[in-house]
Amino acid sequence: MKISKTRKKDIKGSRIVLVKKGEKHFGFITDPSEQAYINERLGGDKNTALLNHLDHVDLVRSLDKEDIPLSIRLENARKAGFEIHAMLIDHDVASVTVINGGVDPEECVAFTEGMALTNYQFLKYLTDPRSKIHSLNEISLYDEGLTDDHVKKLENLVQAVYLTRDLVNEPLSYLTATQLSAEIENMGKVSGFSVEVFNKLKIETLKMGGLLAVNKGSIDPPTFSILTWKPENAVNDHPIVLVGKGIVYDTGGLSLKSTHDSMDYMKSDMGGGAAVAGAFYAVAKNKLPVWMIGLVPATDNRPDGNAYVPGDVITMYDGSTVEVLNTDAEGRMILADALSYAKQYDPELLIELSTLTGSALMAIDKFGMVGMGNASREVMENIKASGEYTSERVAEFPFWDEYKEQLKSDIADLKNIGGKYAGAITAGKFLEHFTDYPYIHLDIAGPSFNKAPFNYRGKGGSGVGVRILYNFLLDRSH
Ligand code: BES
Ligand code: MN
Ligand code: ZN
């Protein structure tokens, strides 16, 4: 999606004027009878007026009054972008100008973001997509409160979410671990971050036992991607490390999932890894002055003649031993090795994102991610604030040490599953065992994939994680 800023007063083509609810400020619509029509529509309980000028449409949309909290106004603006998008497509609009007619510039950005994210489509596998392709391909912004730079950065962020969604939507028939690494390398080339990919031999040499155990049932090799963004003007002396789960398909392994409603969307089990790659893309494109390292361990999880079995004891990368009691708790096995590997960077903070537990999904559904960690209160509050600002919300769960009891094994240092209760937390506590730095765990099992359309977040991969991480890193960079 092309998004740019315009300074032209006399805007040609289709327009959307954003106004504050209850205010009669339609400077951009000059015709008195049109003004009367708009005032009448928006004066009642309607929030949108459409004027069809045959060769273009003009829309006036009212947004919230100032008395509503900013994060809610921004989310409502994104949802308004979603609603207006359908009208534009219905009228075959290809290019539109969003005009700030008296709202906050941040609402103008959020509206455009919502509209642009709604326009996303994954049509790669249709032999004839022509009748489906959305007409819209260009949005201009007319808003004196915004610079060219603001708008360019929005365009890059939207592109980062698109790329993340593409990765999540790609099936295993294309997106093996090797291909995921190749896609990350490509995103690095386009945006400017560097990527190193460890192959199976290197992973064996390093003795990443967790990643290798999960990979045993696969005919495809695992990969371990290392992303680096280290600008000269970085504000931090120690890197911020992002870790993402890269299970390109989760059958459950020998602890096999049932297919219906359980296995059938598990191509999305690399949503954390995809979000890390997307966040790097946005950060590098927008040249944020923060030193970052990204780690994405990747493999599929399958049952096969040589698959790891319940009862196996695995020696992990850091030397600890894990008794595997469920091969479907595979995410923590591969992530544990990445978390131990991260110790060498002496990170200021590590944020790990993963579609880790059904328990997180059961607890809060698709409306947010489950977060926990041992980072400082200030850092936790910052990440939650970024979650509110972007509406990629974090519901913080407790991270009490009592939950570690559930992970005690008779024959190994720990086992890979806890008991019946608090499954999202015991998974987080398992991972914490492999850290020695401030750590935040974000379980995105709920919001990463939408089986049904969910406003501007779409159907299929939502790209969740990219916007919260980007916003958090943007705040950290000044
Ligand atoms: N990838 C799944 C978690 C998941 C479930 C993601 C639903 C998205 C939607 C994960 O690998 C898994 O299978 N977790 C198990 C852990 C259990 C065996 C301890 C789960 O949550 O059932
Ligand atoms: Mn699993
Ligand atoms: Zn999984």
Side-chain angles (χ1 to χ4, degrees):
M1 172 69 74
K2 190 173 182 304
I3 307 176
S4 56
K5 185 183 146 95
T6 177
R7 280 181 196 79
K8 271 185 274 167
K9 273 267 184 216
D10 66 311
I11 294 152
K12 301 264 170 3
S14 294
R15 306 181 294 178
I16 302 163
V17 185
L18 300 177
V19 300
K20 218 184 278 292
K21 194 175 175 60
E23 281 180 21
K24 294 186 180 176
H25 176 72
F26 307 136
F28 289 87
I29 312 281
T30 43
D31 181 282
S33 62
E34 290 183 1
Q35 281 187 355
Y37 170 75
I38 293 164
N39 284 340
E40 193 190 313
R41 272 213 44 112
L42 300 191
D45 53 7
K46 295 279 192 281
N47 52 28
T48 309
L50 183 142
L51 303 166
N52 188 337
H53 295 290
L54 305 187
D55 65 337
H56 72 277
V57 294
D58 280 336
L59 281 144
V60 181
R61 169 75 193 210
S62 68
L63 297 178
D64 294 324
K65 292 183 181 164
E66 206 87 17
D67 56 351
I68 294 179
L70 178 65
S71 64
I72 295 176
R73 281 194 282 134
L74 295 181
E75 180 63 351
N76 284 337
R78 289 183 202 100
K79 288 177 178 165
F82 163 73
E83 286 168 24
I84 298 287
H85 181 266
M87 299 181 189
L88 297 180
I89 298 306
D90 191 37
H91 289 82
D92 297 314
V93 172
S95 162
V96 71
T97 303
V98 176
I99 298 169
N100 188 339
V103 300
D104 225 315
E106 283 172 294
E107 284 176 289
C108 219
V109 169
F111 175 87
T112 305
E113 181 179 73
M115 196 159 70
L117 290 176
T118 307
N119 203 50
Y120 171 84
Q121 294 179 290
F122 187 70
L123 301 174
K124 179 180 166 188
Y125 293 102
L126 298 182
T127 51
D128 184 11
R130 275 173 304 180
S131 63
K132 293 209 169 175
I133 298 175
H134 287 155
S135 52
L136 187 67
N137 53 49
E138 187 176 359
I139 307 173
S140 308
L141 264 90
Y142 185 89
D143 185 334
E144 268 145 28
L146 295 174
T147 62
D148 287 322
D149 191 52
H150 279 130
V151 177
K152 188 78 205 153
K153 284 183 164 153
L154 172 66
E155 184 181 41
N156 291 333
L157 181 61
V158 166
Q159 181 63 15
V161 177
Y162 279 22
L163 292 171
T164 298
R165 287 180 179 180
D166 281 347
L167 290 177
V168 175
N169 289 328
E170 282 288 1
L172 178 64
S173 50
Y174 173 79
L175 199 79
T176 58
T178 305
Q179 191 60 37
L180 174 60
S181 293
E183 301 284 333
I184 295 174
E185 279 181 317
N186 198 41
M187 287 167 75
K189 278 196 195 99
V190 174
S191 63
F193 64 86
S194 56
V195 182
E196 185 182 2
V197 179
F198 291 166
N199 63 14
K200 185 170 182 183
L201 189 65
K202 176 77 179 177
I203 294 165
E204 284 169 344
T205 310
L206 290 170
K207 297 200 173 79
M208 292 187 161
L211 179 54
L212 288 166
V214 176
N215 182 252
K216 275 181 80 185
S218 175
I219 54 168
D220 296 323
T223 61
F224 189 91
S225 302
I226 303 180
L227 297 67
T228 306
W229 170 248
K230 192 177 184 188
E232 269 171 20
N233 56 349
V235 295
N236 49 338
D237 297 328
H238 295 261
I240 295 179
V241 180
L242 303 182
V243 173
K245 174 173 170 180
I247 292 290
V248 286
Y249 199 88
D250 184 11
T251 68
L254 284 169
S255 311
L256 196 65
K257 291 180 186 290
S258 56
T259 48
H260 181 66
D261 248 19
S262 183
M263 193 196 293
D264 37 11
Y265 300 102
M266 278 301 141
K267 66 174 185 181
S268 64
D269 212 16
M270 29 56 70
V276 167
F280 266 76
Y281 180 94
V283 165
K285 269 268 179 190
N286 291 346
K287 299 198 164 42
L288 297 195
V290 251
W291 175 19
M292 285 167 44
I293 302 285
L295 304 174
V296 181
T299 176
D300 53 327
N301 180 28
R302 291 229 213 192
D304 185 50
N306 201 37
Y308 78 140
V309 300
D312 272 351
V313 176
I314 305 299
T315 302
M316 309 292 280
Y317 173 71
D318 75 341
S320 8
T321 55
V322 173
E323 183 186 11
V324 175
L325 286 173
N326 191 321
T327 63
D328 199 9
E330 85 298 338
R332 62 196 76 180
M333 298 296 288
I334 72 165
L335 289 165
D337 283 350
L339 295 177
S340 315
Y341 189 82
K343 289 178 186 172
Q344 67 189 277
Y345 299 109
D346 194 8
E348 147 183 325
L349 170 68
L350 187 145
I351 306 174
E352 165 269 311
L353 282 92
S354 49
T355 47
L356 202 62
T357 65
S359 171
L361 168 67
M362 295 285 259
I364 65 165
D365 200 353
K366 63 187 173 192
F367 302 107
M369 57 188 97
V370 166
M372 60 198 84
N374 58 27
S376 70
R377 208 55 249 160
E378 188 193 348
V379 169
M380 283 304 275
E381 290 306 329
N382 286 345
I383 199 89
K384 282 159 76 176
S386 290
E388 294 296 325
Y389 188 81
T390 57
S391 250
E392 295 195 337
R393 291 172 297 190
V394 178
E396 190 178 357
F397 276 23
F399 210 44
W400 301 317
D401 277 339
E402 281 81 352
Y403 294 106
K404 287 201 284 200
E405 286 295 314
Q406 293 190 39
L407 298 168
K408 286 203 167 133
S409 160
D410 290 337
I411 65 162
D413 298 339
L414 66 170
K415 55 183 188 181
N416 79 332
I417 51 167
K420 188 170 170 186
Y421 304 115
I425 304 174
T426 51
K429 287 311 251 188
F430 177 92
L431 292 174
E432 187 191 31
H433 175 88
F434 300 90
T435 67
D436 69 355
Y437 38 72
Y439 170 53
I440 295 180
H441 162 58
L442 301 174
D443 192 331
I444 56 169
S448 86
F449 192 88
N450 295 313
K451 296 180 187 181
F454 182 27
N455 61 47
Y456 65 87
R457 294 159 210 267
K459 186 175 179 180
S462 67
V464 72
V466 176
R467 292 186 303 112
I468 184 180
L469 287 174
Y470 177 77
N471 193 265
F472 174 81
L473 294 161
L474 180 66
D475 277 351
R476 178 64 186 85
S477 70
H478 47 240

PDB file of all heavy atoms in Angstrom, residues 245 247 250-253 255 257 266 269 301 308 326-331 355-356, ligand 2:
ATOM      1  N   LYS A 245       9.095 -17.807  18.373  1.00  0.00           N
ATOM      2  CA  LYS A 245       8.879 -19.240  18.103  1.00  0.00           C
ATOM      3  C   LYS A 245       8.689 -19.452  16.605  1.00  0.00           C
ATOM      4  O   LYS A 245       7.839 -18.815  15.985  1.00  0.00           O
ATOM      5  CB  LYS A 245       7.638 -19.720  18.884  1.00  0.00           C
ATOM      6  CG  LYS A 245       7.211 -21.166  18.580  1.00  0.00           C
ATOM      7  CD  LYS A 245       6.080 -21.620  19.514  1.00  0.00           C
ATOM      8  CE  LYS A 245       5.481 -22.956  19.078  1.00  0.00           C
ATOM      9  NZ  LYS A 245       4.389 -23.405  19.960  1.00  0.00           N
ATOM     10  N   ILE A 247       7.902 -22.549  14.922  1.00  0.00           N
ATOM     11  CA  ILE A 247       7.387 -23.883  14.559  1.00  0.00           C
ATOM     12  C   ILE A 247       6.551 -23.710  13.278  1.00  0.00           C
ATOM     13  O   ILE A 247       5.446 -23.169  13.318  1.00  0.00           O
ATOM     14  CB  ILE A 247       6.555 -24.494  15.713  1.00  0.00           C
ATOM     15  CG1 ILE A 247       7.462 -24.831  16.918  1.00  0.00           C
ATOM     16  CG2 ILE A 247       5.821 -25.765  15.238  1.00  0.00           C
ATOM     17  CD1 ILE A 247       8.442 -26.001  16.717  1.00  0.00           C
ATOM     18  N   ASP A 250       2.840 -27.410  13.575  1.00  0.00           N
ATOM     19  CA  ASP A 250       2.778 -28.165  14.826  1.00  0.00           C
ATOM     20  C   ASP A 250       1.694 -29.232  14.752  1.00  0.00           C
ATOM     21  O   ASP A 250       0.507 -28.946  14.930  1.00  0.00           O
ATOM     22  CB  ASP A 250       2.508 -27.202  15.996  1.00  0.00           C
ATOM     23  CG  ASP A 250       2.523 -27.915  17.345  1.00  0.00           C
ATOM     24  OD1 ASP A 250       2.942 -29.091  17.388  1.00  0.00           O
ATOM     25  OD2 ASP A 250       2.131 -27.279  18.345  1.00  0.00           O
ATOM     26  N   THR A 251       2.111 -30.472  14.472  1.00  0.00           N
ATOM     27  CA  THR A 251       1.135 -31.577  14.500  1.00  0.00           C
ATOM     28  C   THR A 251       0.935 -32.070  15.931  1.00  0.00           C
ATOM     29  O   THR A 251       0.036 -32.857  16.193  1.00  0.00           O
ATOM     30  CB  THR A 251       1.632 -32.795  13.678  1.00  0.00           C
ATOM     31  OG1 THR A 251       2.761 -33.374  14.351  1.00  0.00           O
ATOM     32  CG2 THR A 251       2.019 -32.413  12.261  1.00  0.00           C
ATOM     33  N   GLY A 252       1.815 -31.614  16.828  1.00  0.00           N
ATOM     34  CA  GLY A 252       1.839 -32.146  18.185  1.00  0.00           C
ATOM     35  C   GLY A 252       2.906 -33.214  18.331  1.00  0.00           C
ATOM     36  O   GLY A 252       3.270 -33.602  19.437  1.00  0.00           O
ATOM     37  N   GLY A 253       3.411 -33.722  17.199  1.00  0.00           N
ATOM     38  CA  GLY A 253       4.365 -34.839  17.261  1.00  0.00           C
ATOM     39  C   GLY A 253       3.630 -36.117  17.662  1.00  0.00           C
ATOM     40  O   GLY A 253       2.434 -36.269  17.346  1.00  0.00           O
ATOM     41  N   SER A 255       2.515 -36.947  20.496  1.00  0.00           N
ATOM     42  CA  SER A 255       1.337 -36.529  21.272  1.00  0.00           C
ATOM     43  C   SER A 255       0.442 -35.753  20.297  1.00  0.00           C
ATOM     44  O   SER A 255       0.182 -34.559  20.453  1.00  0.00           O
ATOM     45  CB  SER A 255       1.745 -35.632  22.434  1.00  0.00           C
ATOM     46  OG  SER A 255       2.806 -36.194  23.184  1.00  0.00           O
ATOM     47  N   LYS A 257      -2.024 -33.927  17.811  1.00  0.00           N
ATOM     48  CA  LYS A 257      -3.250 -33.140  17.973  1.00  0.00           C
ATOM     49  C   LYS A 257      -4.350 -33.795  17.144  1.00  0.00           C
ATOM     50  O   LYS A 257      -4.061 -34.442  16.129  1.00  0.00           O
ATOM     51  CB  LYS A 257      -3.033 -31.719  17.422  1.00  0.00           C
ATOM     52  CG  LYS A 257      -2.087 -30.847  18.224  1.00  0.00           C
ATOM     53  CD  LYS A 257      -1.973 -29.477  17.560  1.00  0.00           C
ATOM     54  CE  LYS A 257      -0.926 -28.607  18.238  1.00  0.00           C
ATOM     55  NZ  LYS A 257      -1.312 -28.166  19.589  1.00  0.00           N
ATOM     56  N   MET A 266      -2.363 -24.931  12.374  1.00  0.00           N
ATOM     57  CA  MET A 266      -1.045 -24.906  13.019  1.00  0.00           C
ATOM     58  C   MET A 266       0.106 -24.509  12.092  1.00  0.00           C
ATOM     59  O   MET A 266       1.266 -24.507  12.498  1.00  0.00           O
ATOM     60  CB  MET A 266      -0.767 -26.224  13.727  1.00  0.00           C
ATOM     61  CG  MET A 266      -1.428 -26.279  15.096  1.00  0.00           C
ATOM     62  SD  MET A 266      -0.839 -24.938  16.145  1.00  0.00           S
ATOM     63  CE  MET A 266      -2.339 -24.475  16.980  1.00  0.00           C
ATOM     64  N   ASP A 269       2.005 -21.520  13.666  1.00  0.00           N
ATOM     65  CA  ASP A 269       2.754 -21.672  14.920  1.00  0.00           C
ATOM     66  C   ASP A 269       4.140 -21.017  14.870  1.00  0.00           C
ATOM     67  O   ASP A 269       4.935 -21.180  15.796  1.00  0.00           O
ATOM     68  CB  ASP A 269       2.854 -23.153  15.285  1.00  0.00           C
ATOM     69  CG  ASP A 269       2.884 -23.404  16.789  1.00  0.00           C
ATOM     70  OD1 ASP A 269       2.522 -22.480  17.549  1.00  0.00           O
ATOM     71  OD2 ASP A 269       3.289 -24.513  17.200  1.00  0.00           O
ATOM     72  N   ASN A 301       7.061 -29.768  13.727  1.00  0.00           N
ATOM     73  CA  ASN A 301       6.944 -30.759  14.805  1.00  0.00           C
ATOM     74  C   ASN A 301       6.060 -31.886  14.302  1.00  0.00           C
ATOM     75  O   ASN A 301       4.856 -31.697  14.129  1.00  0.00           O
ATOM     76  CB  ASN A 301       6.326 -30.102  16.047  1.00  0.00           C
ATOM     77  CG  ASN A 301       6.165 -31.072  17.220  1.00  0.00           C
ATOM     78  OD1 ASN A 301       6.919 -32.041  17.347  1.00  0.00           O
ATOM     79  ND2 ASN A 301       5.184 -30.805  18.068  1.00  0.00           N
ATOM     80  N   TYR A 308      10.982 -37.696  18.598  1.00  0.00           N
ATOM     81  CA  TYR A 308      11.184 -37.772  20.048  1.00  0.00           C
ATOM     82  C   TYR A 308       9.889 -38.251  20.699  1.00  0.00           C
ATOM     83  O   TYR A 308       8.800 -38.019  20.157  1.00  0.00           O
ATOM     84  CB  TYR A 308      11.731 -36.462  20.618  1.00  0.00           C
ATOM     85  CG  TYR A 308      10.827 -35.267  20.852  1.00  0.00           C
ATOM     86  CD1 TYR A 308      10.994 -34.479  22.006  1.00  0.00           C
ATOM     87  CD2 TYR A 308       9.857 -34.862  19.946  1.00  0.00           C
ATOM     88  CE1 TYR A 308      10.217 -33.349  22.241  1.00  0.00           C
ATOM     89  CE2 TYR A 308       9.074 -33.727  20.171  1.00  0.00           C
ATOM     90  CZ  TYR A 308       9.253 -32.990  21.319  1.00  0.00           C
ATOM     91  OH  TYR A 308       8.491 -31.877  21.550  1.00  0.00           O
ATOM     92  N   ASN A 326       5.254 -34.549  27.029  1.00  0.00           N
ATOM     93  CA  ASN A 326       4.284 -34.306  25.970  1.00  0.00           C
ATOM     94  C   ASN A 326       5.032 -33.670  24.805  1.00  0.00           C
ATOM     95  O   ASN A 326       5.610 -32.596  24.959  1.00  0.00           O
ATOM     96  CB  ASN A 326       3.170 -33.383  26.489  1.00  0.00           C
ATOM     97  CG  ASN A 326       1.998 -33.315  25.529  1.00  0.00           C
ATOM     98  OD1 ASN A 326       2.181 -33.280  24.312  1.00  0.00           O
ATOM     99  ND2 ASN A 326       0.790 -33.283  26.065  1.00  0.00           N
ATOM    100  N   THR A 327       5.032 -34.338  23.665  1.00  0.00           N
ATOM    101  CA  THR A 327       5.795 -33.802  22.516  1.00  0.00           C
ATOM    102  C   THR A 327       5.096 -32.594  21.899  1.00  0.00           C
ATOM    103  O   THR A 327       5.661 -31.924  21.044  1.00  0.00           O
ATOM    104  CB  THR A 327       6.007 -34.878  21.431  1.00  0.00           C
ATOM    105  OG1 THR A 327       4.723 -35.280  20.925  1.00  0.00           O
ATOM    106  CG2 THR A 327       6.753 -36.078  21.980  1.00  0.00           C
ATOM    107  N   ASP A 328       3.864 -32.327  22.351  1.00  0.00           N
ATOM    108  CA  ASP A 328       3.137 -31.143  21.855  1.00  0.00           C
ATOM    109  C   ASP A 328       3.557 -29.875  22.608  1.00  0.00           C
ATOM    110  O   ASP A 328       3.202 -28.773  22.214  1.00  0.00           O
ATOM    111  CB  ASP A 328       1.630 -31.392  21.997  1.00  0.00           C
ATOM    112  CG  ASP A 328       0.806 -30.472  21.113  1.00  0.00           C
ATOM    113  OD1 ASP A 328       1.407 -29.767  20.266  1.00  0.00           O
ATOM    114  OD2 ASP A 328      -0.431 -30.463  21.266  1.00  0.00           O
ATOM    115  N   ALA A 329       4.320 -30.041  23.677  1.00  0.00           N
ATOM    116  CA  ALA A 329       4.896 -28.862  24.350  1.00  0.00           C
ATOM    117  C   ALA A 329       6.275 -28.630  23.737  1.00  0.00           C
ATOM    118  O   ALA A 329       7.300 -28.670  24.414  1.00  0.00           O
ATOM    119  CB  ALA A 329       4.954 -29.080  25.854  1.00  0.00           C
ATOM    120  N   GLU A 330       6.279 -28.427  22.410  1.00  0.00           N
ATOM    121  CA  GLU A 330       7.530 -28.342  21.643  1.00  0.00           C
ATOM    122  C   GLU A 330       8.087 -26.931  21.567  1.00  0.00           C
ATOM    123  O   GLU A 330       9.285 -26.740  21.438  1.00  0.00           O
ATOM    124  CB  GLU A 330       7.302 -28.903  20.228  1.00  0.00           C
ATOM    125  CG  GLU A 330       6.734 -27.911  19.193  1.00  0.00           C
ATOM    126  CD  GLU A 330       5.350 -27.370  19.540  1.00  0.00           C
ATOM    127  OE1 GLU A 330       4.628 -28.026  20.315  1.00  0.00           O
ATOM    128  OE2 GLU A 330       4.995 -26.277  19.040  1.00  0.00           O
ATOM    129  N   GLY A 331       7.167 -25.942  21.663  1.00  0.00           N
ATOM    130  CA  GLY A 331       7.620 -24.553  21.517  1.00  0.00           C
ATOM    131  C   GLY A 331       8.652 -24.219  22.562  1.00  0.00           C
ATOM    132  O   GLY A 331       9.725 -23.665  22.267  1.00  0.00           O
ATOM    133  N   THR A 355       3.359 -18.429  20.005  1.00  0.00           N
ATOM    134  CA  THR A 355       2.031 -19.055  20.059  1.00  0.00           C
ATOM    135  C   THR A 355       2.208 -20.290  20.942  1.00  0.00           C
ATOM    136  O   THR A 355       2.283 -21.401  20.452  1.00  0.00           O
ATOM    137  CB  THR A 355       1.599 -19.456  18.639  1.00  0.00           C
ATOM    138  OG1 THR A 355       2.693 -20.146  18.002  1.00  0.00           O
ATOM    139  CG2 THR A 355       1.220 -18.256  17.797  1.00  0.00           C
ATOM    140  N   LEU A 356       2.313 -20.048  22.242  1.00  0.00           N
ATOM    141  CA  LEU A 356       2.843 -21.101  23.111  1.00  0.00           C
ATOM    142  C   LEU A 356       1.813 -22.045  23.710  1.00  0.00           C
ATOM    143  O   LEU A 356       2.042 -23.245  23.778  1.00  0.00           O
ATOM    144  CB  LEU A 356       3.694 -20.487  24.231  1.00  0.00           C
ATOM    145  CG  LEU A 356       4.699 -21.455  24.862  1.00  0.00           C
ATOM    146  CD1 LEU A 356       5.715 -21.937  23.841  1.00  0.00           C
ATOM    147  CD2 LEU A 356       5.404 -20.838  26.046  1.00  0.00           C
TER     148      LEU A 356
HETATM  149 MN    MN B   2       2.427 -28.000  20.386  1.00  0.00          MN
END
